[in-house]
Amino acid sequence: MSFLDLKNVTKIYPNGTKAVHETSLSVDEGEFMVFVGPSGCGKSTLLRMVAGLEDITEGDINLDGQLINEVDPSERDVAMVFQNYALYPHMNVYNNLAYGLKNRGIDKETIEQKVNDAAKLLQISDFLQRKPSMLSGGQRQRVAMGRAIVRNPKIFLFDEPLSNLDAKLRIQMRLEIKKLQQKVGVTSIFVTHDQVEAMTLADRLAVINNGIIEQLGTPIEIYNNPESLFVAGFIGSPQMNFLDANLNNKTLSAENFEIKNIDSDYNGEVTLGIRPEHLIESENGLINLKVELVEQLGSDNLVYGQIKNIKDFCYRSPGNQTIKRGDTLSLNIEENKYYIFDKSTGKRVN
Amino acid sequence: MTRLITSGFSHFILFIGILIMIVPVWMIFASSTHTGLTINTHGLQMFLGDSFYENYMRVLLYQGGFFKEITALKMFLNSFIMATGVAILSVITSLMAAYALVYYRTKYATLLFWIIFVTILVPLELRIFPTYSVMAELNLVNSYFGLIVPISASAIATLFFRQFYKTVPDELLESAKLDGANTWRFFVDFLVPLSKTMIVAMLIFMFVFGYNQYLWPLLVTSSEQYWTVVMGLKMMSGSIVHRFAFVMMSMVPPILIIIVLQKHFIKGVFQDK
Ligand SMILES: Nc1ncnc2c1ncn2[C@@H]1O[C@H](COP(=O)(O)OP(=O)(O)O)[C@@H](O)[C@H]1O
Ligand SMILES: [Mg+2]
């Protein structure tokens, strides 16, 4: 059995909303697991069931070899960082960190030692006497992290902890969280709707849609091998391009091009997915893209254009190229870098 | 310009209002420092006389009542005990009642809340006789317990605390739970300190409420030993200057409480910001 084990966990809210469908999942000790998915897909619900803040309608959750379904959150030895931090407004930073330790009956000197260590690690030693209202967003974030770290819990749970920060700080904190987790080595689950955050943080990530884990794997596995249309569209930035097509006898016919010798026995209507970064310019390419808009990012360009009737098709070109609106580019797909999905079920077929 | 005029005008109105309230109080105070003879011959006085010490000391120490065994000093003590008891007890019960109403989400929480709410609409006087007979049965007539406890359940304070608790974000409770706080610790370590400002406000409010009680203490005490200041106001006999002096002194405790607690009240407000 793994460190954290979810078996057929289901959540139905009292009003009848089925937020999490029979979900099974294992997290290894020390692993950084990320739940990613659009807003309302049930990520928080799943996390909160692990924390004990929501009752489990059905299924079992085991943590460190113990069935915790009925264990009170205060007894689970888990720590959670909330989106709005939920710092204790009437306590100074020191007491925010110390509170959980005090409740566990740890003696004063040990508490002081632990709080000071955690504060140093998070560079909040200078603010220990301040109230949370006197801290900036980034500092509050650190205090929230500190409150989790200081207790050395079995597992860290993060519920979108970075979404209240501005873009620059978010990237910085993302990095720090990852470094911190590697240093402390505590098993973590991190919930986010931001796929970049998910990709950069995760050892493994679970892509969730409508209360179901659509795919579970390392970021690179999921990026390279999305198993469904949803995952393909959700992971990767800019988004994968999708085209309607037909697959017959291993031949794919899209609007104005064909790909032969497809490795699939599926016949019927499909959706073809191509990532913007998997296109290369070449003479007599498969696709003719009429350029409508170029976003210059410096290192590369995002070229948006039209193929026949398909709008907003995206191609990522190297940054040194000069492409203008109105140009027509001839593009090829990198070898085998395309994804074919059953149009009705969204399942991958190649 | 028009703004200046309207502002000047409203200040003028307020000033008149203040005068109307202050002048009679001042006249009573000024008169209470004269001899009874002066008042009887020359009417109420606007300026201070020289009998302040004599009048006030006599009032404080005079043995009044039918059995001549109650002094004003004792009445002040009784009133203080009663008002403080009511204030503290009602704040504690309201805090806990509100906690139960908000955080124990039983089916009946809303129903219970409305039942409590409805009691606001029922004046104390309406239940005063049944309450009296309960106290009489329990042999609690003529005791501080009997003076304090039956009027110490405050629906208004409960309502205020409940509304405040409802604004406390759920994450705070969840976060505290994960930090190992049980129900009691969350109440003591979070809700009580967070409601500090409101607790002080309610203490003032309930102190004045308890201090001003007349009918209930009248009913539940037959021994003069338990007379309160407000009862004394009614029972006072003797010279008009002594009654004036007593009236003046009767205003002091509520004002004192407000002054003392107001500091914490304002401090609380600023700290929360
Ligand atoms: N307390 C609740 N009662 C009823 N439905 C809820 C409750 N909390 C969340 N939901 C519903 O459950 C679904 C999943 O919610 P949530 O787990 O918060 O999603 P996410 O965190 O992925 O945005 C949503 O459809 C949401 O409306
Ligand atoms: Mg959420």
Side-chain angles (χ1 to χ4, degrees):
Chain A
M1 195 184 280
S2 314
F3 189 68
L4 174 72
D5 230 19
L6 279 69
K7 228 179 281 150
N8 295 322
V9 172
T10 303
K11 174 72 189 183
I12 302 172
Y13 279 108
N15 68 359
T17 311
K18 192 165 186 182
V20 175
H21 295 251
E22 296 71 18
T23 295
S24 297
L25 174 81
S26 300
V27 183
D28 289 328
E29 187 151 17
E31 190 174 25
F32 200 117
M33 169 65 76
V34 173
F35 294 167
V36 65
S39 173
C41 72
K43 318 177 285 290
S44 296
T45 305
L46 198 57
L47 191 77
R48 291 166 57 82
M49 284 193 285
V50 175
L53 301 173
E54 297 288 351
D55 292 331
I56 301 160
T57 312
E58 258 169 60
D60 288 338
I61 299 183
N62 278 282
L63 178 63
D64 199 12
Q66 186 199 0
L67 182 70
I68 56 168
N69 283 32
E70 301 296 330
V71 178
D72 195 74
S74 57
E75 308 286 321
R76 288 193 186 190
D77 198 12
V78 304
M80 184 152 165
V81 179
F82 293 83
Q83 177 169 351
N84 62 7
Y85 316 136
L87 299 181
Y88 309 142
H90 57 300
M91 299 183 191
N92 63 19
V93 171
Y94 181 92
N95 285 323
N96 262 278
L97 265 61
Y99 186 68
L101 299 172
K102 281 182 195 160
N103 278 333
R104 280 172 172 72
I106 296 169
D107 67 277
K108 254 199 161 109
E109 285 92 65
T110 318
I111 291 180
E112 201 173 329
Q113 182 71 38
K114 286 183 181 227
V115 170
N116 286 332
D117 288 352
K120 208 186 272 168
L121 191 66
L122 286 155
Q123 297 155 20
I124 49 173
S125 304
D126 293 344
F127 321 125
L128 284 176
Q129 297 311 319
R130 285 200 207 166
K131 292 269 175 72
S133 55
M134 293 158 72
L135 300 176
S136 71
Q139 290 163 345
R140 286 180 203 187
Q141 168 72 53
R142 284 167 199 275
V143 176
M145 295 279 302
R147 206 169 56 182
I149 283 175
V150 78
R151 274 180 32 210
N152 193 20
K154 284 181 185 162
I155 189 162
F156 283 160
L157 306 173
F158 301 87
D159 194 351
E160 313 220 15
L162 303 179
S163 8
N164 282 357
L165 300 176
D166 61 65
K168 201 173 156 200
L169 207 52
R170 189 151 61 213
I171 293 169
Q172 186 192 337
M173 283 311 295
R174 185 171 87 200
L175 202 72
E176 287 192 28
I177 288 181
K178 181 76 181 172
K179 279 198 282 195
L180 215 58
Q181 195 267 346
Q182 283 173 348
K183 197 184 233 161
V184 186
V186 174
T187 315
S188 306
I189 304 181
F190 188 103
V191 162
T192 177
H193 63 267
D194 178 342
Q195 56 95 17
V196 180
E197 224 166 85
M199 295 286 285
T200 48
L201 283 171
D203 290 331
R204 257 188 331 146
L205 60 98
V207 185
I208 302 179
N209 187 27
N210 285 328
I212 293 167
I213 297 186
E214 292 249 345
Q215 193 171 352
L216 192 65
T218 64
I220 213 67
E221 271 168 23
I222 290 184
Y223 174 83
N224 284 338
N225 257 316
E227 282 166 7
S228 70
L229 195 60
F230 174 81
V231 175
F234 197 79
I235 299 293
S237 171
Q239 217 192 355
M240 189 184 277
N241 298 297
F242 291 118
L243 311 169
D244 286 339
N246 252 299
L247 185 58
N248 259 313
N249 286 328
K250 299 191 183 294
T251 301
L252 181 106
S253 359
E255 189 130 5
N256 55 353
F257 60 89
E258 278 195 345
I259 307 175
K260 289 199 160 52
N261 296 323
I262 301 264
D263 179 21
S264 170
D265 294 326
Y266 183 84
N267 288 317
E269 284 191 38
V270 293
T271 302
L272 171 68
I274 309 161
R275 293 203 185 275
E277 52 272 38
H278 291 161
L279 293 161
I280 33 173
E281 276 183 76
S282 62
E283 280 174 43
N284 302 319
L286 273 178
I287 300 168
N288 286 315
L289 183 69
K290 189 150 185 293
V291 177
E292 286 172 333
L293 183 81
V294 183
E295 288 179 352
Q296 293 184 312
L297 304 180
S299 56
D300 43 17
N301 299 322
L302 298 181
V303 181
Y304 294 91
Q306 202 168 344
I307 321 171
K308 269 233 164 146
N309 294 324
I310 301 142
K311 289 213 167 96
D312 295 331
F313 191 91
C314 181
Y315 156 55
R316 187 195 284 260
S317 83
N320 51 14
Q321 273 174 324
T322 47
I323 299 171
K324 298 188 307 294
R325 185 190 152 101
D327 288 354
T328 299
L329 305 178
S330 166
L331 302 171
N332 257 334
I333 306 170
E334 280 179 32
E335 182 105 357
N336 284 325
K337 289 288 177 70
Y338 51 81
Y339 308 92
I340 303 171
F341 305 94
D342 179 335
K343 194 171 177 190
S344 52
T345 65
K347 286 268 174 298
R348 178 89 175 271
V349 294
N350 72 325
Chain B
M1 193 57 200
T2 42
R3 180 175 293 176
L4 208 69
I5 290 172
T6 36
S7 142
F9 184 68
S10 48
H11 276 90
F12 179 70
I13 299 267
L14 288 172
F15 185 68
I16 297 288
I18 289 170
L19 276 187
I20 290 173
M21 283 190 283
I22 293 279
V23 168
V25 176
W26 173 254
M27 281 173 77
I28 293 175
F29 178 63
S31 302
S32 73
T33 60
H34 288 267
T35 59
L37 190 67
T38 316
I39 306 297
N40 285 338
T41 48
H42 298 101
L44 295 175
Q45 298 296 307
M46 281 304 279
F47 299 101
L48 295 177
D50 46 19
S51 306
F52 174 83
Y53 183 77
E54 187 192 326
N55 287 346
Y56 279 73
M57 281 322 280
R58 195 196 109 96
V59 169
L60 274 178
L61 302 176
Y62 178 71
Q63 312 256 302
F66 302 114
F67 302 104
K68 304 291 172 205
E69 54 188 23
I70 177 84
T71 59
L73 210 55
K74 183 77 202 294
M75 290 187 219
F76 274 106
L77 182 69
N78 288 342
S79 279
F80 184 77
I81 292 174
M82 177 176 174
T84 310
V86 169
I88 292 175
L89 201 62
S90 63
V91 165
I92 291 176
T93 50
S94 312
L95 270 171
M96 305 219 281
Y99 185 42
L101 284 176
V102 175
Y103 288 93
Y104 290 79
R105 289 181 191 135
T106 70
K107 279 184 294 204
Y108 309 112
T110 316
L111 179 69
L112 282 173
F113 170 70
W114 283 109
I115 291 174
I116 292 171
F117 187 81
V118 163
T119 64
I120 293 177
L121 310 175
V122 182
L124 176 64
E125 286 72 17
L126 211 66
R127 64 169 171 95
I128 212 157
F129 287 106
T131 308
Y132 177 77
S133 53
V134 171
M135 285 294 121
E137 294 279 320
L138 293 173
N139 257 332
L140 289 169
V141 176
N142 283 327
S143 69
Y144 288 122
F145 189 92
L147 271 175
I148 293 168
V149 173
I151 57 169
S152 290
S154 170
I156 292 186
T158 308
L159 174 80
F160 270 103
F161 286 125
R162 174 186 182 263
Q163 293 317 103
F164 172 71
Y165 290 168
K166 282 192 169 283
T167 66
V168 174
D170 284 344
E171 284 91 350
L172 210 57
L173 172 65
E174 294 174 345
S175 202
K177 268 192 200 166
L178 294 174
D179 256 348
N182 57 24
T183 314
W184 173 246
R185 286 251 71 92
F186 181 66
F187 180 64
V188 173
D189 294 343
F190 289 81
L191 291 180
V192 171
L194 286 172
S195 354
K196 204 167 69 189
T197 310
M198 189 168 278
I199 289 174
V200 173
M202 284 297 142
L203 279 175
I204 294 175
F205 183 79
M206 294 310 297
F207 182 92
V208 175
F209 171 80
Y211 189 83
N212 284 341
Q213 286 304 312
Y214 175 63
L215 195 55
W216 176 246
L218 191 64
L219 212 63
V220 82
T221 62
S222 54
S223 154
E224 288 173 5
Q225 285 304 318
Y226 289 99
W227 277 14
T228 63
V229 171
V230 178
M231 290 163 76
L233 281 177
K234 185 76 181 171
M235 310 279 186
M236 275 289 289
S237 54
S239 163
I240 185 110
V241 285
H242 297 144
R243 284 194 241 175
F244 279 169
F246 191 60
V247 166
M248 287 314 299
M249 286 192 287
S250 75
M251 289 193 291
V252 173
I255 292 175
L256 220 57
I257 283 291
I258 290 172
I259 290 172
V260 169
L261 290 184
Q262 172 116 334
K263 259 193 259 169
H264 297 273
F265 181 67
I266 290 173
K267 211 164 93 192
V269 171
F270 276 119
Q271 273 177 349
D272 289 350
K273 282 278 143 64

